[in-house]
Amino acid sequence: MTGATAGGDPRLARLLDGPSSGASGPAGGRTPALVVVDVQRDFGEPARIAGYGLDDRASAAVDAAIVRIGALVDEARAAGVPVVWVELGSDPSAPWHSSTWLRGGPLDGPMPEDEPCRIGTAGAEWYRTAPAPGETRVVKRGYSGFLGTDLEARLTTAGIGWLTVVGLTSECCVFATAQDAMQLGWPVVVPSDATAAYDVDVHDAALTMIELNIGVVTDAAETTELWRAWAASPVGAP
Protein backbone atom coordinates (compact mmCIF):
# COMPACT_ATOMS: atom_id res chain seq x y z
CA MET A 1 0.00 0.00 0.00
CA THR A 2 1.45 3.33 -1.05
CA GLY A 3 -1.11 5.63 0.55
CA ALA A 4 -1.47 7.63 3.72
CA THR A 5 -1.35 4.60 6.01
CA ALA A 6 1.85 3.21 4.52
CA GLY A 7 4.38 5.98 4.82
CA GLY A 8 3.00 8.19 2.04
CA ASP A 9 2.55 11.95 2.15
CA PRO A 10 1.88 12.89 5.79
CA ARG A 11 -0.56 15.57 4.67
CA LEU A 12 -2.85 12.83 3.38
CA ALA A 13 -2.67 10.97 6.68
CA ARG A 14 -3.79 14.11 8.51
CA LEU A 15 -6.99 14.14 6.46
CA LEU A 16 -7.99 11.01 8.38
CA ASP A 17 -7.74 12.74 11.75
CA GLY A 18 -10.97 13.70 13.47
CA PRO A 19 -11.87 17.40 13.53
CA SER A 20 -10.24 19.49 16.22
CA SER A 21 -12.37 20.62 19.13
CA GLY A 22 -14.18 23.81 18.18
CA ALA A 23 -13.11 23.61 14.54
CA SER A 24 -15.30 25.48 12.12
CA GLY A 25 -15.40 26.22 8.41
CA PRO A 26 -14.77 23.80 5.54
CA ALA A 27 -11.76 22.10 7.13
CA GLY A 28 -13.58 21.63 10.43
CA GLY A 29 -15.07 18.37 9.16
CA ARG A 30 -13.30 15.37 7.72
CA THR A 31 -15.84 14.01 5.26
CA PRO A 32 -14.32 13.82 1.76
CA ALA A 33 -16.11 14.53 -1.49
CA LEU A 34 -15.23 13.69 -5.08
CA VAL A 35 -15.72 16.64 -7.43
CA VAL A 36 -16.03 15.62 -11.10
CA VAL A 37 -15.43 18.54 -13.47
CA ASP A 38 -16.60 18.80 -17.09
CA VAL A 39 -16.46 15.16 -18.19
CA GLN A 40 -18.79 16.10 -21.04
CA ARG A 41 -18.96 15.07 -24.66
CA ASP A 42 -17.57 18.37 -25.97
CA PHE A 43 -14.48 17.91 -23.80
CA GLY A 44 -13.94 14.15 -23.96
CA GLU A 45 -15.44 12.56 -27.07
CA PRO A 46 -12.66 12.00 -29.62
CA ALA A 47 -14.53 13.38 -32.62
CA ARG A 48 -15.46 16.54 -30.72
CA ILE A 49 -11.99 17.31 -29.38
CA ALA A 50 -10.07 16.50 -32.56
CA GLY A 51 -9.93 20.19 -33.44
CA TYR A 52 -7.70 20.83 -30.44
CA GLY A 53 -4.89 19.01 -32.25
CA LEU A 54 -4.23 16.15 -29.82
CA ASP A 55 -1.41 13.80 -30.69
CA ASP A 56 -1.61 10.08 -29.95
CA ARG A 57 -0.16 10.46 -26.43
CA ALA A 58 -2.65 13.14 -25.47
CA SER A 59 -5.59 11.21 -26.96
CA ALA A 60 -4.62 8.12 -24.99
CA ALA A 61 -4.18 10.18 -21.81
CA VAL A 62 -7.64 11.73 -22.11
CA ASP A 63 -9.21 8.32 -22.71
CA ALA A 64 -7.36 6.77 -19.76
CA ALA A 65 -8.31 9.65 -17.47
CA ILE A 66 -11.99 9.29 -18.32
CA VAL A 67 -11.82 5.56 -17.57
CA ARG A 68 -10.17 6.23 -14.20
CA ILE A 69 -12.69 8.95 -13.36
CA GLY A 70 -15.50 6.45 -13.89
CA ALA A 71 -13.71 3.96 -11.66
CA LEU A 72 -13.19 6.60 -8.97
CA VAL A 73 -16.89 7.48 -9.08
CA ASP A 74 -17.67 3.81 -8.41
CA GLU A 75 -15.10 3.66 -5.60
CA ALA A 76 -16.43 6.85 -4.01
CA ARG A 77 -19.98 5.55 -3.98
CA ALA A 78 -18.84 2.24 -2.49
CA ALA A 79 -16.96 4.06 0.29
CA GLY A 80 -19.82 6.45 1.05
CA VAL A 81 -17.92 9.45 -0.34
CA PRO A 82 -20.32 12.04 -1.81
CA VAL A 83 -19.89 12.64 -5.54
CA VAL A 84 -20.39 16.21 -6.76
CA TRP A 85 -20.80 16.93 -10.47
CA VAL A 86 -19.66 20.24 -11.95
CA GLU A 87 -20.62 20.84 -15.58
CA LEU A 88 -20.23 23.65 -18.06
CA GLY A 89 -23.50 25.05 -19.34
CA SER A 90 -22.86 27.71 -21.99
CA ASP A 91 -25.93 29.95 -22.12
CA PRO A 92 -26.65 31.55 -25.52
CA SER A 93 -28.61 34.30 -23.74
CA ALA A 94 -25.48 35.32 -21.79
CA PRO A 95 -22.42 34.92 -24.07
CA TRP A 96 -18.99 34.83 -22.40
CA HIS A 97 -17.47 37.57 -24.51
CA SER A 98 -14.05 37.66 -22.86
CA SER A 99 -13.59 33.97 -23.63
CA THR A 100 -14.73 34.47 -27.22
CA TRP A 101 -12.26 37.36 -27.60
CA LEU A 102 -9.42 35.32 -26.09
CA ARG A 103 -9.99 32.68 -28.77
CA GLY A 104 -9.88 35.25 -31.57
CA GLY A 105 -13.54 36.20 -31.81
CA PRO A 106 -15.40 39.49 -31.31
CA LEU A 107 -15.96 41.24 -27.98
CA ASP A 108 -19.71 41.40 -28.48
CA GLY A 109 -22.49 39.74 -30.43
CA PRO A 110 -24.14 36.34 -30.14
CA MET A 111 -22.51 33.21 -28.80
CA PRO A 112 -20.53 31.36 -31.49
CA GLU A 113 -22.23 28.28 -32.86
CA ASP A 114 -19.22 26.14 -31.90
CA GLU A 115 -19.22 27.25 -28.24
CA PRO A 116 -18.66 24.06 -26.19
CA CYS A 117 -21.36 22.63 -23.97
CA ARG A 118 -24.20 24.86 -25.11
CA ILE A 119 -27.16 24.23 -22.82
CA GLY A 120 -29.55 21.67 -24.29
CA THR A 121 -27.12 20.28 -26.89
CA ALA A 122 -25.61 16.81 -27.13
CA GLY A 123 -22.15 18.26 -26.49
CA ALA A 124 -23.16 19.29 -22.97
CA GLU A 125 -24.09 15.71 -22.02
CA TRP A 126 -21.94 13.71 -19.60
CA TYR A 127 -19.51 11.39 -21.34
CA ARG A 128 -19.01 7.76 -20.25
CA THR A 129 -19.98 8.60 -16.66
CA ALA A 130 -22.98 10.36 -15.18
CA PRO A 131 -24.59 11.46 -11.92
CA ALA A 132 -26.73 9.03 -9.98
CA PRO A 133 -30.12 10.17 -8.69
CA GLY A 134 -29.70 12.46 -5.70
CA GLU A 135 -26.05 13.37 -6.33
CA THR A 136 -25.22 17.08 -6.32
CA ARG A 137 -24.98 18.80 -9.70
CA VAL A 138 -23.69 22.33 -10.28
CA VAL A 139 -23.85 24.14 -13.62
CA LYS A 140 -21.15 26.76 -14.16
CA ARG A 141 -20.67 29.39 -16.84
CA GLY A 142 -16.87 29.70 -16.70
CA TYR A 143 -13.84 27.73 -15.58
CA SER A 144 -14.28 27.34 -11.81
CA GLY A 145 -17.08 25.32 -10.29
CA PHE A 146 -17.30 27.94 -7.54
CA LEU A 147 -17.62 31.06 -9.69
CA GLY A 148 -21.21 32.27 -9.76
CA THR A 149 -22.60 29.02 -8.32
CA ASP A 150 -23.75 27.77 -4.93
CA LEU A 151 -21.09 25.06 -4.76
CA GLU A 152 -19.36 26.55 -1.71
CA ALA A 153 -22.63 26.70 0.24
CA ARG A 154 -23.64 23.19 -0.76
CA LEU A 155 -20.32 21.66 0.28
CA THR A 156 -20.35 23.57 3.57
CA THR A 157 -23.94 22.54 4.35
CA ALA A 158 -23.01 18.91 3.63
CA GLY A 159 -20.13 19.10 6.13
CA ILE A 160 -17.47 18.33 3.54
CA GLY A 161 -13.95 18.55 4.96
CA TRP A 162 -11.70 17.94 1.93
CA LEU A 163 -11.99 17.45 -1.79
CA THR A 164 -10.66 15.22 -4.52
CA VAL A 165 -10.92 17.09 -7.82
CA VAL A 166 -10.87 15.20 -11.13
CA GLY A 167 -11.99 15.88 -14.68
CA LEU A 168 -11.20 17.86 -17.81
CA THR A 169 -8.98 19.62 -18.36
CA SER A 170 -6.11 19.72 -15.90
CA GLU A 171 -4.77 23.17 -16.79
CA CYS A 172 -8.16 24.85 -17.12
CA CYS A 173 -11.36 23.95 -15.26
CA VAL A 174 -9.79 21.35 -12.94
CA PHE A 175 -7.05 23.84 -12.03
CA ALA A 176 -9.50 26.72 -11.51
CA THR A 177 -11.91 24.65 -9.40
CA ALA A 178 -9.14 23.17 -7.26
CA GLN A 179 -7.55 26.57 -6.73
CA ASP A 180 -10.81 28.17 -5.60
CA ALA A 181 -11.53 25.22 -3.31
CA MET A 182 -8.15 25.64 -1.63
CA GLN A 183 -8.58 29.40 -1.27
CA LEU A 184 -12.00 28.84 0.30
CA GLY A 185 -10.45 26.56 2.93
CA TRP A 186 -10.74 23.00 1.64
CA PRO A 187 -7.67 20.74 1.46
CA VAL A 188 -7.47 19.49 -2.12
CA VAL A 189 -6.23 16.19 -3.55
CA VAL A 190 -5.76 15.85 -7.33
CA PRO A 191 -5.09 12.38 -8.79
CA SER A 192 -2.70 12.92 -11.67
CA ASP A 193 -4.15 10.05 -13.69
CA ALA A 194 -7.79 11.14 -13.30
CA THR A 195 -7.37 14.39 -15.18
CA ALA A 196 -5.77 15.24 -18.52
CA ALA A 197 -5.07 18.02 -20.99
CA TYR A 198 -4.99 18.06 -24.77
CA ASP A 199 -1.20 18.28 -24.63
CA VAL A 200 0.85 16.05 -22.33
CA ASP A 201 3.40 18.76 -21.56
CA VAL A 202 0.61 21.17 -20.61
CA HIS A 203 -0.83 18.52 -18.30
CA ASP A 204 2.53 18.00 -16.61
CA ALA A 205 2.94 21.77 -16.16
CA ALA A 206 -0.53 22.04 -14.63
CA LEU A 207 0.26 19.31 -12.11
CA THR A 208 3.47 21.12 -11.18
CA MET A 209 1.52 24.31 -10.46
CA ILE A 210 -1.14 22.42 -8.52
CA GLU A 211 1.48 20.73 -6.39
CA LEU A 212 3.26 24.02 -5.70
CA ASN A 213 0.29 26.10 -4.62
CA ILE A 214 -3.01 24.24 -4.51
CA GLY A 215 -3.07 20.64 -3.30
CA VAL A 216 -1.49 17.24 -3.02
CA VAL A 217 -0.99 15.48 -6.34
CA THR A 218 -1.50 11.75 -5.97
CA ASP A 219 -3.02 9.02 -8.16
CA ALA A 220 -6.32 7.16 -8.39
CA ALA A 221 -5.08 4.11 -6.47
CA GLU A 222 -3.79 6.15 -3.54
CA THR A 223 -6.97 8.23 -3.50
CA THR A 224 -9.07 5.08 -3.30
CA GLU A 225 -6.96 3.79 -0.41
CA LEU A 226 -7.46 7.08 1.40
CA TRP A 227 -11.24 6.90 1.00
CA ARG A 228 -11.31 3.32 2.21
CA ALA A 229 -9.24 4.27 5.26
CA TRP A 230 -11.66 7.11 5.96
CA ALA A 231 -14.68 4.83 5.58
CA ALA A 232 -13.16 2.36 8.06
CA SER A 233 -12.30 5.07 10.61
CA PRO A 234 -14.48 6.20 13.54
CA VAL A 235 -15.31 9.43 11.67
CA GLY A 236 -15.99 7.66 8.38
CA ALA A 237 -19.13 6.68 6.55
CA PRO A 238 -21.77 4.82 8.58
Side-chain angles (χ1 to χ4, degrees), residues 146-173:
F146 291 93
L147 181 65
T149 75
D150 63 351
L151 180 57
E152 179 185 4
R154 295 174 79 168
L155 293 173
T156 300
T157 298
I160 300 302
W162 56 278
L163 304 178
T164 298
V165 182
V166 302
L168 302 171
T169 58
S170 50
E171 87 292 356
C172 190
C173 296

Side-chain angles (χ1 to χ4, degrees), residues 1-4 8-9 12 216-227:
M1 182 175 182
T2 60
D9 192 314
L12 297 179
V216 175
V217 175
T218 179
D219 59 27
E222 189 170 44
T223 300
T224 297
E225 292 174 353
L226 193 62
W227 289 340

Side-chain angles (χ1 to χ4, degrees), residues 17-205:
D17 295 340
S20 301
S21 176
S24 61
R30 292 294 181 267
T31 299
L34 172 64
V35 180
V36 181
V37 179
D38 291 2
V39 187
Q40 295 164 267
R41 291 180 65 185
D42 271 347
F43 295 134
E45 194 170 51
R48 293 174 181 270
I49 63 175
Y52 294 115
L54 287 73
D55 61 19
D56 290 344
R57 291 174 64 213
S59 296
V62 170
D63 180 75
I66 292 170
V67 170
R68 288 193 183 94
I69 290 164
L72 280 175
V73 168
D74 291 341
E75 291 285 356
R77 289 169 177 162
V81 173
V83 184
V84 177
W85 300 81
V86 174
E87 58 196 290
L88 180 64
S90 298
D91 187 351
S93 69
W96 187 10
H97 289 129
S98 59
S99 177
T100 302
W101 166 81
L102 186 63
R103 291 178 283 121
L107 265 171
D108 52 20
M111 177 179 288
E113 289 298 322
D114 61 352
E115 191 74 13
C117 299
R118 289 171 66 104
I119 293 172
T121 67
E125 296 171 355
W126 292 100
Y127 180 59
R128 293 168 61 187
T129 189
E135 290 179 339
T136 297
R137 293 180 64 171
V138 173
V139 179
K140 62 185 176 67
R141 300 289 184 260
Y143 294 157
S144 172
F146 291 93
L147 181 65
T149 75
D150 63 351
L151 180 57
E152 179 185 4
R154 295 174 79 168
L155 293 173
T156 300
T157 298
I160 300 302
W162 56 278
L163 304 178
T164 298
V165 182
V166 302
L168 302 171
T169 58
S170 50
E171 87 292 356
C172 190
C173 296
V174 169
F175 186 100
T177 300
Q179 183 176 60
D180 280 354
M182 182 269 185
Q183 293 186 115
L184 290 167
W186 278 282
V188 173
V189 174
V190 177
S192 61
D193 53 354
T195 181
Y198 302 143
D199 181 289
V200 172
D201 291 337
V202 170
H203 173 66
D204 291 342

